[in-house]
Short mmCIF file of all heavy atoms in Angstrom, two decimals:
data_model
loop_
_atom_site.label_atom_id
_atom_site.label_comp_id
_atom_site.label_asym_id
_atom_site.label_seq_id
_atom_site.Cartn_x
_atom_site.Cartn_y
_atom_site.Cartn_z
N TYR J 106 13.34 36.68 1.64
CA TYR J 106 13.27 36.92 0.20
C TYR J 106 12.32 38.08 -0.11
O TYR J 106 12.60 38.94 -0.93
CB TYR J 106 12.83 35.63 -0.52
CG TYR J 106 11.92 35.81 -1.73
CD1 TYR J 106 12.43 36.09 -2.99
CD2 TYR J 106 10.54 35.66 -1.61
CE1 TYR J 106 11.59 36.23 -4.09
CE2 TYR J 106 9.70 35.81 -2.70
CZ TYR J 106 10.23 36.09 -3.95
OH TYR J 106 9.40 36.23 -5.03
N THR J 116 8.26 43.39 -6.70
CA THR J 116 7.09 42.90 -5.95
C THR J 116 7.09 41.38 -5.97
O THR J 116 6.83 40.77 -7.00
CB THR J 116 5.78 43.40 -6.61
OG1 THR J 116 5.85 44.82 -6.72
CG2 THR J 116 4.58 43.00 -5.79
N PRO J 117 7.41 40.75 -4.86
CA PRO J 117 7.56 39.28 -4.87
C PRO J 117 6.22 38.55 -4.88
O PRO J 117 5.17 39.15 -4.65
CB PRO J 117 8.29 39.00 -3.56
CG PRO J 117 7.88 40.12 -2.66
CD PRO J 117 7.69 41.33 -3.53
N ASN J 118 6.26 37.26 -5.16
CA ASN J 118 5.07 36.44 -5.05
C ASN J 118 5.37 35.29 -4.07
O ASN J 118 5.90 34.27 -4.47
CB ASN J 118 4.67 35.87 -6.41
CG ASN J 118 3.31 35.19 -6.34
OD1 ASN J 118 3.04 34.47 -5.37
ND2 ASN J 118 2.47 35.40 -7.31
N PRO J 119 5.03 35.49 -2.79
CA PRO J 119 5.40 34.49 -1.79
C PRO J 119 4.74 33.13 -2.01
O PRO J 119 5.30 32.10 -1.66
CB PRO J 119 4.94 35.11 -0.47
CG PRO J 119 3.93 36.13 -0.84
CD PRO J 119 4.32 36.63 -2.20
N ASP J 120 3.53 33.13 -2.62
CA ASP J 120 2.82 31.86 -2.76
C ASP J 120 3.53 30.92 -3.73
O ASP J 120 3.59 29.71 -3.51
CB ASP J 120 1.39 32.11 -3.21
CG ASP J 120 0.64 32.94 -2.19
OD1 ASP J 120 0.28 32.38 -1.16
OD2 ASP J 120 0.48 34.15 -2.39
N VAL J 121 4.05 31.48 -4.82
CA VAL J 121 4.78 30.65 -5.79
C VAL J 121 6.04 30.09 -5.13
O VAL J 121 6.36 28.91 -5.24
CB VAL J 121 5.17 31.49 -7.04
CG1 VAL J 121 6.15 30.72 -7.92
CG2 VAL J 121 3.92 31.86 -7.83
N LEU J 122 6.73 30.96 -4.39
CA LEU J 122 7.96 30.53 -3.74
C LEU J 122 7.73 29.52 -2.66
O LEU J 122 8.49 28.58 -2.47
CB LEU J 122 8.66 31.74 -3.14
CG LEU J 122 10.02 31.75 -3.77
CD1 LEU J 122 10.03 32.44 -5.04
CD2 LEU J 122 11.06 32.16 -2.93
N ARG J 125 7.51 26.13 -4.08
CA ARG J 125 8.79 25.60 -4.55
C ARG J 125 9.73 25.28 -3.38
O ARG J 125 10.39 24.26 -3.36
CB ARG J 125 9.45 26.63 -5.48
CG ARG J 125 10.77 26.14 -6.05
CD ARG J 125 11.42 27.20 -6.92
NE ARG J 125 12.22 28.13 -6.12
CZ ARG J 125 12.71 29.28 -6.60
NH1 ARG J 125 12.42 29.65 -7.84
NH2 ARG J 125 13.43 30.06 -5.84
N TYR J 177 -0.82 28.16 -11.73
CA TYR J 177 0.12 29.30 -11.69
C TYR J 177 1.00 29.27 -10.44
O TYR J 177 2.20 29.55 -10.50
CB TYR J 177 -0.68 30.61 -11.75
CG TYR J 177 0.16 31.86 -11.65
CD1 TYR J 177 0.87 32.36 -12.76
CD2 TYR J 177 0.26 32.57 -10.45
CE1 TYR J 177 1.63 33.52 -12.66
CE2 TYR J 177 1.02 33.73 -10.35
CZ TYR J 177 1.70 34.20 -11.46
OH TYR J 177 2.47 35.34 -11.36
N CYS J 180 4.07 27.04 -10.68
CA CYS J 180 4.81 27.21 -11.93
C CYS J 180 6.32 27.01 -11.79
O CYS J 180 7.03 26.93 -12.78
CB CYS J 180 4.52 28.58 -12.54
SG CYS J 180 5.19 29.96 -11.56
N GLN J 181 6.81 26.95 -10.55
CA GLN J 181 8.26 26.79 -10.36
C GLN J 181 8.66 25.36 -9.98
O GLN J 181 9.81 25.09 -9.66
CB GLN J 181 8.74 27.75 -9.26
CG GLN J 181 8.79 29.20 -9.71
CD GLN J 181 10.07 29.52 -10.47
OE1 GLN J 181 11.18 29.41 -9.96
NE2 GLN J 181 9.94 29.91 -11.73
N LEU J 340 8.10 41.62 -21.98
CA LEU J 340 8.83 41.59 -20.71
C LEU J 340 10.07 40.72 -20.89
O LEU J 340 10.17 39.94 -21.84
CB LEU J 340 7.93 41.07 -19.59
CG LEU J 340 7.37 39.66 -19.72
CD1 LEU J 340 8.33 38.59 -19.21
CD2 LEU J 340 6.07 39.54 -18.93
N GLU J 346 16.71 33.04 -14.22
CA GLU J 346 15.35 33.00 -13.66
C GLU J 346 14.33 32.39 -14.61
O GLU J 346 13.14 32.46 -14.38
CB GLU J 346 14.94 34.40 -13.20
CG GLU J 346 15.87 34.91 -12.10
CD GLU J 346 15.41 36.17 -11.41
OE1 GLU J 346 15.15 37.18 -12.10
OE2 GLU J 346 15.31 36.15 -10.17
N HIS J 348 12.61 29.14 -15.92
CA HIS J 348 12.43 27.77 -15.38
C HIS J 348 11.49 26.98 -16.29
O HIS J 348 10.37 27.42 -16.56
CB HIS J 348 11.83 27.85 -13.97
CG HIS J 348 11.38 26.52 -13.44
ND1 HIS J 348 12.27 25.56 -13.00
CD2 HIS J 348 10.14 25.97 -13.32
CE1 HIS J 348 11.58 24.49 -12.61
NE2 HIS J 348 10.30 24.71 -12.80
N ARG J 367 0.34 34.08 -18.67
CA ARG J 367 -0.29 35.02 -17.73
C ARG J 367 0.79 35.60 -16.83
O ARG J 367 1.80 34.94 -16.57
CB ARG J 367 -1.40 34.35 -16.91
CG ARG J 367 -1.03 33.15 -16.08
CD ARG J 367 -2.16 32.75 -15.09
NE ARG J 367 -3.47 32.56 -15.70
CZ ARG J 367 -4.05 31.37 -15.88
NH1 ARG J 367 -3.42 30.26 -15.52
NH2 ARG J 367 -5.25 31.29 -16.42
N ILE J 368 0.54 36.83 -16.37
CA ILE J 368 1.52 37.49 -15.51
C ILE J 368 1.03 37.63 -14.08
O ILE J 368 1.72 38.19 -13.24
CB ILE J 368 1.90 38.89 -16.06
CG1 ILE J 368 0.65 39.74 -16.30
CG2 ILE J 368 2.74 38.77 -17.32
CD1 ILE J 368 0.94 41.20 -16.66
N ARG J 369 -0.16 37.10 -13.81
CA ARG J 369 -0.63 37.06 -12.42
C ARG J 369 -1.70 35.98 -12.30
O ARG J 369 -2.27 35.54 -13.30
CB ARG J 369 -1.18 38.42 -11.97
CG ARG J 369 -2.33 38.97 -12.78
CD ARG J 369 -2.76 40.35 -12.29
NE ARG J 369 -1.77 41.37 -12.64
CZ ARG J 369 -1.78 42.06 -13.78
NH1 ARG J 369 -2.74 41.85 -14.68
NH2 ARG J 369 -0.87 42.96 -14.04
N TYR J 370 -1.94 35.56 -11.05
CA TYR J 370 -2.93 34.52 -10.78
C TYR J 370 -4.30 34.96 -11.29
O TYR J 370 -4.69 36.12 -11.16
CB TYR J 370 -2.97 34.26 -9.27
CG TYR J 370 -4.05 33.32 -8.82
CD1 TYR J 370 -4.19 32.06 -9.42
CD2 TYR J 370 -4.91 33.66 -7.79
CE1 TYR J 370 -5.17 31.18 -9.00
CE2 TYR J 370 -5.90 32.78 -7.36
CZ TYR J 370 -6.03 31.54 -7.97
OH TYR J 370 -7.00 30.67 -7.56
N THR J 398 4.84 43.62 -13.72
CA THR J 398 5.50 44.01 -12.48
C THR J 398 6.75 43.19 -12.20
O THR J 398 6.70 41.96 -12.14
CB THR J 398 4.50 43.85 -11.30
OG1 THR J 398 3.33 44.62 -11.62
CG2 THR J 398 5.08 44.36 -10.01
N GLU J 399 7.87 43.88 -12.01
CA GLU J 399 9.14 43.21 -11.72
C GLU J 399 9.02 42.38 -10.44
O GLU J 399 8.47 42.84 -9.45
CB GLU J 399 10.24 44.24 -11.49
CG GLU J 399 10.72 44.95 -12.73
CD GLU J 399 11.77 45.98 -12.36
OE1 GLU J 399 12.84 45.59 -11.86
OE2 GLU J 399 11.50 47.18 -12.56
N GLY J 400 9.57 41.17 -10.49
CA GLY J 400 9.55 40.31 -9.31
C GLY J 400 8.40 39.32 -9.32
O GLY J 400 8.43 38.30 -8.65
N GLN J 401 7.35 39.63 -10.10
CA GLN J 401 6.24 38.69 -10.24
C GLN J 401 6.61 37.61 -11.25
O GLN J 401 7.59 37.74 -11.97
CB GLN J 401 4.99 39.44 -10.73
CG GLN J 401 4.39 40.35 -9.69
CD GLN J 401 3.57 39.59 -8.66
OE1 GLN J 401 2.71 38.79 -8.99
NE2 GLN J 401 3.85 39.82 -7.39
N PHE J 402 5.81 36.56 -11.31
CA PHE J 402 6.11 35.45 -12.22
C PHE J 402 5.26 35.53 -13.48
O PHE J 402 4.07 35.82 -13.41
CB PHE J 402 5.86 34.11 -11.53
CG PHE J 402 6.86 33.81 -10.45
CD1 PHE J 402 6.69 34.30 -9.17
CD2 PHE J 402 8.00 33.05 -10.73
CE1 PHE J 402 7.63 34.04 -8.16
CE2 PHE J 402 8.93 32.78 -9.74
CZ PHE J 402 8.75 33.28 -8.46
N VAL J 403 5.89 35.24 -14.61
CA VAL J 403 5.14 35.02 -15.84
C VAL J 403 5.14 33.49 -16.04
O VAL J 403 6.17 32.85 -15.83
CB VAL J 403 5.79 35.74 -17.05
CG1 VAL J 403 7.26 35.39 -17.22
CG2 VAL J 403 5.02 35.42 -18.33
N ALA J 404 3.99 32.92 -16.36
CA ALA J 404 3.92 31.47 -16.59
C ALA J 404 3.38 31.25 -17.99
O ALA J 404 2.49 31.98 -18.44
CB ALA J 404 3.01 30.80 -15.56
N SER J 414 8.05 28.94 -16.57
CA SER J 414 7.78 30.23 -15.91
C SER J 414 9.08 30.97 -15.69
O SER J 414 10.17 30.40 -15.86
CB SER J 414 7.07 30.01 -14.58
OG SER J 414 7.94 29.35 -13.67
N GLY J 415 8.96 32.23 -15.29
CA GLY J 415 10.17 32.99 -15.01
C GLY J 415 9.83 34.22 -14.20
O GLY J 415 8.67 34.64 -14.12
N VAL J 416 10.86 34.80 -13.57
CA VAL J 416 10.66 36.02 -12.79
C VAL J 416 10.83 37.22 -13.72
O VAL J 416 11.82 37.32 -14.42
CB VAL J 416 11.69 36.11 -11.64
CG1 VAL J 416 11.45 37.37 -10.81
CG2 VAL J 416 11.63 34.87 -10.77
N ILE J 417 9.84 38.09 -13.72
CA ILE J 417 9.89 39.28 -14.58
C ILE J 417 10.99 40.21 -14.05
O ILE J 417 11.01 40.53 -12.87
CB ILE J 417 8.52 40.01 -14.56
CG1 ILE J 417 7.42 39.06 -15.08
CG2 ILE J 417 8.57 41.29 -15.39
CD1 ILE J 417 5.99 39.57 -14.89
#
Side-chain angles (χ1 to χ4, degrees):
Y106 143 84
T116 305
N118 189 318
D120 299 285
V121 169
L122 238 86
R125 182 182 85 192
Y177 177 79
C180 68
Q181 286 277 299
L340 61 85
E346 298 190 305
H348 170 75
R367 58 169 53 107
I368 53 172
R369 59 182 72 89
Y370 174 52
T398 304
E399 287 178 64
Q401 289 282 309
F402 290 85
V403 54
S414 66
V416 182
I417 300 170

